[in-house]
Amino acid sequence: VEEHDHFHHRRIGENNPISFPGHERIQQAPIIKGGLHHNQQRLRPQAQKQPKGPHQEVELQQKQLMDGVKVGQPFPPLRQQQQQQVDKQTFPDNDELHHYEQFATKSSYDPALHPVFSQVRKIKTRFVSQKITSGKVKHIFLEGMEKSDYIDLVHVSNINIAAPRTPAPKKNSTAISTTPPPYSNTNETYQDYGEELWIDDSPFAPSCKNTEAYAKKNREGKGPVMVLQLDYKDFEKMGYCDHLHEYVGGRQYIRYAKRSIIQARKYNYSESGWIDHGHFRVNDGANFTGGPTIHAPYTVRTDQVELIFSKFWNQSWPGAYPDKKWDVSHFWSVGNDPVSHLRNQVTTIIKSMKGMRLPNGHSMRCYANLAGQRGTKGRKGIQEQYVELMLKSKIIVVTQRDPWEGHYRLMEGLASGAMIVADFMLSLPKGLKDRESVVLFRSEAELREVLPYYVQHDEDRLRIARKGWEVVMSRHRAWHRLEELLFGRPLTDVDNPYGPYNTKPSITTS
């Protein structure tokens, strides 16, 4: 049986034995339609045509690389020469566009191939922010810059003209160091600290107007400065500031990184009643900035780690929490959210499995509801009820919004020490692998199959849970993400889940 998806061609058979739950069903499964682009029918063997146009040679090379990838293996890395050739192409228009899209891969967004700086050194950095009070700024930007050994944060600039004066972070903040950098609002006198890099948290309209006005006023004619624009907004739309390059030295001095890099992901009402996974969008960053767009997934938050270890500290890992009240948890309640049909569906499925009698005589204990506050309010601070329920769960099911990939829940669940069962992701964060550190499901049938299996098989569940925890704690902290974007790899306290920022905290909770 041959199974075709949007990215690669996988053969399942005698030469590729698989042993995870459901392998018998998958071996007998028909050709999968989920995830194919609406113009992708030509990729099937019986309908495949020779690609036409100036991209023919590149596409054939990519197709050769993708053939024969086995289940469980990562996508084959693109050779650097081929990747550079792809990035330099003049992107086709209209009906030819899908020819290029169908060969866009995760490698196109890999920071290891396209770092901001080619040489590792300590970089003097100014943080230019329009969302200084947001949870993302505190738990990704500020924390990452403060705790990296390779970023010297010399100034924080709040350039949101409409916002009132915001005080500098407090010295006893758990997310930053005890010596906050100088801080100013946009109407205060600009002081040059000799910075080599600006990190901008708002690369999208209308925020670009503020960023461009700030750069024009304070940088025009003063020599170039590198700008890294980090886009953690939802949805697939890319955000580029049209005129910023005029004031910082040119387009070659601007790089753009984005959380959600998948296009055409949607809930399919008519056919599958499930998610169409979409595809990696054309990486057009090189047309607007100094290089391809870089993938920037969410990170593990330090406030969550500290609360976990204040509730339970074990020199092994939080997965050893003794009071595992719930076999399976999914933290969502059914509602009218227009972009959460999959989440609603999964909550309904898990509720239907509550009390299900397993072959070993155990009845499944399932939690399917919200815990703490959701949305912006829930992301600004620590959600104690949420953390407690995660610690008490053997398996946590996490599902993404219908139109985009990437969410906090994946990192939060992995950091809690539970085994994570997640809906399929094309842009799975680096280091995570299906059936090794996380379990991915692609349908309701597969979800209903893997949950009882891992509830009954503690050894398999704990092995996957611990590996997932080690990956995110070792390579997906805030400072790891910024270092990966700047230098192509994490550098500070890598591969050490018990490092100095992961030790038992001194805080206590009631």
Side-chain angles (χ1 to χ4, degrees), residues 216-416:
K216 182 177 182 180
K217 177 182 177 182
N218 299 305
R219 288 301 311 185
E220 190 174 27
K222 294 183 179 179
V225 63
M226 199 74 194
V227 179
L228 173 61
Q229 297 188 296
L230 269 74
D231 183 355
Y232 276 99
K233 286 183 70 66
D234 300 328
F235 297 101
E236 65 188 36
K237 184 178 179 180
M238 297 289 188
Y240 302 110
C241 295
D242 295 335
H243 303 287
L244 182 60
H245 65 279
E246 299 173 11
Y247 316 119
V248 298
R251 295 189 190 278
Q252 68 270 28
Y253 290 98
I254 301 176
R255 293 302 303 275
Y256 178 75
K258 184 169 174 60
R259 166 173 64 103
S260 182
I261 57 175
I262 301 303
Q263 192 170 28
R265 177 183 162 96
K266 63 180 181 179
Y267 188 84
N268 191 325
Y269 298 91
S270 58
E271 295 183 11
S272 64
W274 203 254
I275 288 291
D276 287 344
H277 300 299
H279 51 269
F280 288 98
R281 60 173 296 131
V282 171
N283 197 326
D284 51 4
N287 281 5
F288 301 93
T289 68
T293 300
I294 311 173
H295 187 208
Y298 275 138
T299 66
V300 174
R301 290 172 48 159
T302 292
D303 60 343
Q304 180 200 353
V305 173
E306 291 185 338
L307 183 55
I308 286 174
F309 286 141
S310 71
K311 294 289 182 182
F312 169 72
W313 175 253
N314 182 287
Q315 290 298 329
S316 176
W317 62 303
Y321 190 80
D323 182 20
K324 293 293 185 183
K325 179 179 179 180
W326 303 105
D327 294 316
V328 178
S329 293
H330 181 246
F331 300 109
W332 188 255
S333 60
V334 176
N336 297 320
D337 192 322
V339 293
S340 298
H341 294 91
L342 179 63
R343 286 184 175 178
N344 290 342
Q345 189 171 351
V346 169
T347 287
T348 301
I349 292 169
I350 292 176
K351 283 184 175 180
S352 73
M353 299 178 74
K354 184 177 181 180
M356 186 176 76
R357 181 75 66 176
L358 302 178
N360 64 0
H362 177 74
S363 295
M364 286 185 60
R365 300 166 299 176
C366 301
Y367 180 93
N369 205 341
L370 289 174
Q373 291 182 301
R374 54 165 288 200
T376 303
K377 291 182 179 180
R379 294 301 174 196
K380 281 190 174 182
I382 303 173
Q383 297 292 297
E384 191 166 350
Q385 180 191 6
Y386 178 42
V387 169
E388 288 178 348
L389 285 170
M390 285 194 292
L391 285 173
K392 294 180 179 180
S393 302
K394 294 180 180 179
I395 297 172
I396 296 176
V397 180
V398 295
T399 46
Q400 302 166 99
R401 301 285 193 176
D402 300 340
W404 66 83
E405 283 195 355
H407 53 154
Y408 268 128
R409 293 166 186 255
L410 176 64
M411 293 295 174
E412 290 167 343
L414 289 164
S416 75

Side-chain angles (χ1 to χ4, degrees), residues 87-234:
D87 292 334
K88 291 179 180 178
Q89 293 290 339
T90 301
F91 298 99
D93 297 322
N94 302 327
D95 60 335
E96 290 189 14
L97 184 60
H98 66 272
H99 284 301
Y100 188 83
E101 287 179 342
Q102 66 193 24
F103 292 102
T105 68
K106 188 173 182 179
S107 297
S108 304
Y109 295 87
D110 190 347
L113 295 177
H114 314 289
V116 175
F117 294 99
S118 59
Q119 182 181 3
V120 176
R121 55 191 173 83
K122 197 160 190 175
I123 305 295
K124 287 187 176 183
T125 303
R126 177 186 294 265
F127 179 41
V128 180
S129 175
Q130 299 186 58
K131 299 180 178 294
I132 198 68
T133 61
S134 75
K136 293 175 185 177
V137 165
K138 177 180 178 181
H139 300 296
I140 299 178
F141 293 88
L142 284 175
E143 180 180 1
M145 287 182 280
E146 285 289 331
K147 290 185 175 178
S148 170
D149 293 338
Y150 297 86
I151 299 176
D152 180 12
L153 181 58
V154 296
H155 196 272
V156 175
S157 302
N158 176 18
I159 65 169
N160 188 344
I161 300 174
R165 168 79 188 196
T166 304
K170 296 180 180 180
K171 290 186 177 183
N172 61 355
S173 169
T174 60
I176 64 169
S177 74
T178 56
T179 55
Y183 178 97
S184 66
N185 271 25
T186 187
N187 56 354
E188 298 179 30
T189 303
Y190 178 86
Q191 182 175 349
D192 192 338
Y193 288 87
E195 62 264 22
E196 306 166 77
L197 172 71
W198 283 9
I199 294 182
D200 172 30
D201 66 359
S202 304
F204 32 79
S207 301
C208 276
K209 293 183 178 179
N210 290 346
T211 305
E212 290 169 349
Y214 184 78
K216 182 177 182 180
K217 177 182 177 182
N218 299 305
R219 288 301 311 185
E220 190 174 27
K222 294 183 179 179
V225 63
M226 199 74 194
V227 179
L228 173 61
Q229 297 188 296
L230 269 74
D231 183 355
Y232 276 99
K233 286 183 70 66
D234 300 328

